[in-house]
Amino acid sequence: MHRFRAEAASRGLPAEEVEEWIRAAVPGTFFTQGGDGPLVARIGGDPVLPEGAPDPCHPLIARVDCALIPQGATGLPLPSAGHLLFFADLELGLHGPMRDAVCHVPAGTPAAVRPVETGYGPFEPQDMRTMWHHLSPPMPESFAEARWDSPDDEEYELAEELESAWTHVGGSWPTWTFALGAHPLVLNDDPLLLARDESETGDAATDTGDWALLATWRCGEQVRELDSRVVSWMIRRQDLASLRFDRVYGHIDRA
């Protein structure tokens, strides 16, 4: 934060907006292939499902070992043990409630690998043994639109300058494949804003709750037929704390 403030000051950026940018940053945990640490997450493969659980309708995207995620690293009330399984209908442009998109398998639950036939996959398994944590700011356009009513060109440019200063002092990070928490990766529409807006105008217009980004998957070259899609899973914090994964909101996009 000190380096960012100093860099922003050297560029003549307004101190008030620098502090607003810092306040907008949220924790995130990021995963990629390689490394020699414990197997904290795996992308693709067949799901490991509890006995008697129904077959999923969609392909497995990721399986995360909750016990290996440090408390507070994501800023989310994640389960402290067991595994989280993430599934997705990968039809481009799809967004909305996805009742069967996330499954929590408690620690000690009898479970076994189960091959499942879906429209895609199973994708080639990728072990994620490299994990890191850092604060994630919003994307510049999202910051500007949350900060100002009908931002003008100068305000959008200021948001981009703030991002540039942040990136300049933030160090070099690997290219990540999967993430928990953080801000959305916005390609066309902000998926978190879509979840909030639709919860305010839909059947459940009351109790919109505190929506948060649960996870993001960046589909890379290993799945060429998906054309670099990005899948986002959103959830209300109180639903996450209660393990109400039937209330997840999903979003699929691409550049």
Side-chain angles (χ1 to χ4, degrees):
M1 295 307 170
H2 292 309
R3 294 196 303 271
F4 171 59
R5 290 186 178 102
E7 177 65 22
S10 73
R11 299 183 184 204
L13 302 180
E16 179 181 359
E17 304 309 330
V18 170
E19 296 305 315
E20 195 65 29
W21 181 270
I22 291 173
R23 283 191 289 271
V26 298
T29 296
F30 303 83
F31 308 91
T32 194
Q33 286 183 279
D36 56 3
L39 182 58
V40 64
R42 171 174 285 169
I43 302 296
D46 290 311
V48 179
L49 295 169
E51 297 175 1
D55 285 349
C57 299
H58 310 301
L60 176 70
I61 303 301
R63 180 174 183 258
V64 177
D65 190 337
C66 298
L68 297 178
I69 308 298
Q71 186 175 8
T74 65
L76 300 171
L78 295 177
S80 59
H83 288 83
L84 282 177
L85 278 60
F86 293 85
F87 303 89
D89 183 342
L90 296 167
E91 181 180 347
L92 188 62
L94 181 69
H95 61 88
M98 294 185 181
R99 297 178 59 87
D100 53 358
V102 181
C103 172
H104 177 235
V105 181
T109 301
V113 175
R114 188 188 306 173
V116 178
E117 292 292 333
T118 64
Y120 293 98
F123 303 122
E124 181 179 353
Q126 303 174 59
D127 289 350
M128 302 281 156
R129 299 180 183 272
T130 297
M131 171 179 64
W132 66 97
H133 323 285
H134 65 82
L135 285 175
S136 164
M139 297 188 74
E141 184 174 345
S142 296
F143 174 82
E145 292 173 357
R147 177 68 174 141
W148 300 290
D149 292 331
S150 301
D152 57 26
D153 289 345
E154 290 186 0
E155 288 165 332
Y156 280 119
E157 290 173 4
L158 173 56
E160 291 175 358
E161 276 293 310
L162 289 165
E163 181 196 42
S164 175
W166 178 276
T167 303
H168 180 77
V169 302
S172 177
W173 300 95
T175 299
W176 56 272
T177 300
F178 191 78
L180 293 171
H183 272 288
L185 181 59
V186 180
L187 302 179
N188 294 291
D189 297 312
D190 188 321
L192 195 52
L193 292 182
L194 284 176
R196 290 170 178 164
D197 290 346
E198 292 194 11
S199 67
E200 290 174 355
T201 59
D203 294 336
T206 58
D207 186 27
T208 58
D210 182 12
W211 283 94
L213 178 65
L214 174 57
T216 306
W217 177 54
R218 301 168 66 175
C219 176
E221 293 182 355
Q222 71 278 4
V223 191
R224 295 182 182 276
E225 67 269 25
L226 296 184
D227 198 18
S228 300
R229 299 182 193 191
V230 172
V231 181
S232 305
W233 295 264
M234 277 69 59
I235 193 170
R236 295 179 179 91
R237 290 178 181 274
Q238 62 267 36
D239 288 338
L240 177 55
S242 302
L243 303 182
R244 290 296 308 270
F245 293 113
D246 58 317
R247 298 180 176 180
V248 165
Y249 184 102
H251 182 265
I252 291 85
D253 205 354
R254 77 173 179 203

